[in-house]
Amino acid sequence: MIGQSYDCARIRPVERSGLLSVRPGRLPVLGIGAALLLLTACQETGGQGGSSAQGAPSAPPQGVTAVILHPHPVPVVTELPGRVTAFQTAEVRPQVGGVIRDRLFTEGQPVTAGQPLYQIDPASYQAALNSAIAAQQKAEAATASAQLTVNRYQPLAKEKAVSQQDLDTAIATLRQGQADVAAAKANVETARINLEYTKVRSPISGRTGRSSVTPGALVTAGQTTSMVTVTQLDPIYVDVTQPSSALLGLRRDLAAGRIQGAAAGQAEVRLVLEDGREYDRPGTLQFSEVTVDQTTSSVTLRAVFPNPDGLLMPGMYVREKLRQATDPNAFLVPQQAVSRNSHGQAIVQVIKADGSAEARPVTTDRTQGSKWVVTDGLSDGDRVVVEGLQKIRPGVKLAATDLTEEQFDQRAVAALPSSTQPAR
């Protein structure tokens, strides 16, 4: 038997009447001692093979990229829909009646305050002024004659050369003449004003709209239809509505000290235009309504923006980014680092001290650019996985490449197409 090899897989030990036997036809009949020795050797061999399979080396650490986060003062920005409103609007109407002789402006072009827009035929008003001037001169002449009479009667009355009644009459005539002169002067001024009104002037500086009248048209004083509308576009207003519930929440956070309010007159406002681009000139919040609209439960906020190029036009729909306060201890987490669990709660993978990852729930308040503003769930110095999330398994060690927030931002900018990278 020594020196021979046997196939252990073919040996089937069975218990039969207390004796160990081997399936016939496979191996020669062996002694009981030899059979036991052979079975023991096979069992030892099988045991060593099992322990070898179970003792396989563990997987190497998985490579991921993490960002080391720190709290930052983050502005509390509210994005609200709104409409552009003109800073000033003037509907030009005639103050005297007549026929339009000339239009003195080009439609759609800017005009200045006091610039003539229309010329109404002034002939009748010039004649009225001349008549008023003549009436004034007549009254002044009569008054001068009455004054001479009074001057002559006063010494004669002292000498009893004329009666006191004659003197009193002369004085009354003088005073009546002086009143006539004053009335004549007023009539002259009125005629002069009406003549001036034949030049229809712009009451404000701005841009003209369409003219509703043409030369030859008859207009009347106080008519309901305006001749043209002048709109001031620089600066310009943007009116937005904010839900009263959001305003209450903001005030609660301010009162609790969780955020810091913007100083009066310094609340910065940005605009996003209808095509998705951001308006390049910031505005300031001017005022907030003191009442809530009962139909919409919202409060109207008004901001003023510079508009030298006339890009903003009344009636345009915009979205306003209103900076109402500042959160002094918020975290900016890249959006790709935030996922959702089965309950819909936002989570991030934070690398622990032993090198494994921990799924930590966080509170996301809003987005700022390509990052989430996280207000709860993170601590200063936390390492949050941003690349390689699919490699994370429970208990698996991670080989993390740590980046600062600045380094991550630089990498993100470098990955953008050259046409979209910010100018340096």
Side-chain angles (χ1 to χ4, degrees):
M1 290 178 57
I2 299 176
Q4 295 182 0
S5 60
Y6 297 94
D7 187 357
C8 295
R10 295 181 179 180
I11 300 175
R12 300 291 186 269
V14 296
E15 185 176 350
R16 192 178 290 174
S17 302
L19 298 177
L20 181 66
S21 65
V22 181
R23 294 176 59 183
R26 297 295 182 180
L27 293 173
V29 178
L30 301 175
I32 295 176
L36 290 174
L37 180 62
L38 179 60
L39 288 174
T40 303
C42 289
Q43 291 175 357
E44 291 177 354
T45 303
Q48 292 175 359
S51 63
S52 175
Q54 296 174 359
S58 59
Q62 298 296 315
V64 296
T65 302
V67 174
I68 304 173
L69 298 179
H70 302 284
H72 300 279
V74 177
V76 179
V77 178
T78 305
E79 188 167 335
L80 303 168
R83 293 281 179 184
V84 178
T85 305
F87 189 79
Q88 288 188 96
T89 300
E91 295 183 345
V92 179
R93 293 182 175 85
Q95 293 177 279
V96 294
V99 176
I100 300 295
R101 193 173 69 180
D102 294 302
R103 192 184 75 189
L104 307 175
F105 69 97
T106 302
E107 293 174 314
Q109 295 300 312
V111 295
T112 58
Q115 178 178 334
L117 302 179
Y118 298 93
Q119 176 64 62
I120 298 175
D121 187 0
S124 60
Y125 296 97
Q126 182 65 56
L129 175 61
N130 295 339
S131 176
I133 292 174
Q136 177 184 346
Q137 292 173 346
K138 181 179 179 181
E140 288 175 346
T143 301
S145 175
Q147 183 67 58
L148 293 174
T149 302
V150 170
N151 293 340
R152 186 167 54 253
Y153 279 8
Q154 283 178 340
L156 294 177
K158 292 180 182 179
E159 299 294 334
K160 306 295 182 179
V162 296
S163 66
Q164 186 63 38
Q165 182 179 357
D166 291 338
L167 178 59
D168 294 341
T169 302
I171 293 174
T173 302
L174 173 62
R175 290 177 179 174
Q176 183 178 354
Q178 291 173 340
D180 291 340
V181 169
K185 289 182 178 179
N187 291 334
V188 169
E189 185 64 22
T190 299
R192 183 175 286 111
I193 291 174
N194 288 335
L195 178 62
E196 180 62 25
Y197 281 162
T198 60
K199 287 185 183 295
V200 182
R201 301 178 183 273
S202 175
I204 62 173
S205 297
R207 190 176 295 271
T208 58
R210 293 177 300 171
S211 175
S212 64
V213 295
T214 59
L218 176 65
V219 294
T220 58
Q223 66 182 33
T224 58
T225 303
S226 65
M227 303 169 71
V228 69
T229 300
V230 180
T231 306
Q232 183 177 347
L233 301 177
D234 183 28
I236 201 164
Y237 290 133
V238 175
D239 293 339
V240 298
T241 55
Q242 183 178 29
S244 56
S245 58
L247 189 59
L248 290 175
L250 176 66
R251 291 181 176 177
R252 280 196 299 268
D253 290 341
L254 288 170
R258 289 188 290 270
I259 59 177
Q260 300 171 355
Q266 298 180 0
E268 184 179 279
V269 185
R270 291 279 182 175
L271 282 186
V272 178
L273 304 178
E274 290 177 319
D275 58 359
R277 293 183 302 159
E278 185 169 306
Y279 187 60
D280 57 357
R281 292 181 173 88
T284 55
L285 183 65
Q286 190 175 51
F287 82 95
S288 173
E289 284 281 9
V290 296
T291 58
V292 177
D293 190 328
Q294 296 181 4
T295 59
T296 61
S297 296
S298 60
V299 178
T300 300
L301 309 177
R302 168 166 284 184
V304 61
F305 285 82
N307 189 34
D309 302 329
L311 182 62
L312 300 178
M313 296 177 288
M316 181 182 290
Y317 173 80
V318 293
R319 294 193 66 83
E320 186 176 275
K321 294 181 177 180
L322 174 61
R323 178 175 176 174
Q324 293 177 291
T326 300
D327 190 338
N329 296 305
F331 291 86
L332 294 176
V333 180
Q335 290 187 7
Q336 62 264 39
V338 180
S339 59
R340 300 280 173 176
N341 59 19
S342 58
H343 302 290
Q345 188 176 18
I347 60 171
V348 295
Q349 297 291 339
V350 179
I351 300 177
K352 299 189 295 185
D354 62 359
S356 61
E358 171 194 6
R360 186 178 300 177
V362 294
T363 301
T364 55
D365 183 62
R366 61 195 177 278
T367 59
Q368 180 172 307
S370 62
K371 297 183 178 182
W372 280 106
V373 177
V374 175
T375 57
D376 190 29
L378 292 176
S379 301
D380 189 9
D382 278 345
R383 302 159 64 200
V384 173
V385 178
V386 293
E387 296 176 1
L389 290 169
Q390 70 279 4
K391 302 177 183 179
I392 297 176
R393 298 290 184 274
V396 174
K397 304 295 183 182
L398 302 175
T401 301
D402 291 335
L403 299 176
T404 63
E405 295 180 66
E406 292 76 11
Q407 290 172 336
F408 177 80
D409 293 340
Q410 291 172 1
R411 282 183 47 177
V413 171
L416 294 174
S418 58
S419 60
T420 60
Q421 289 188 5
R424 297 179 179 177

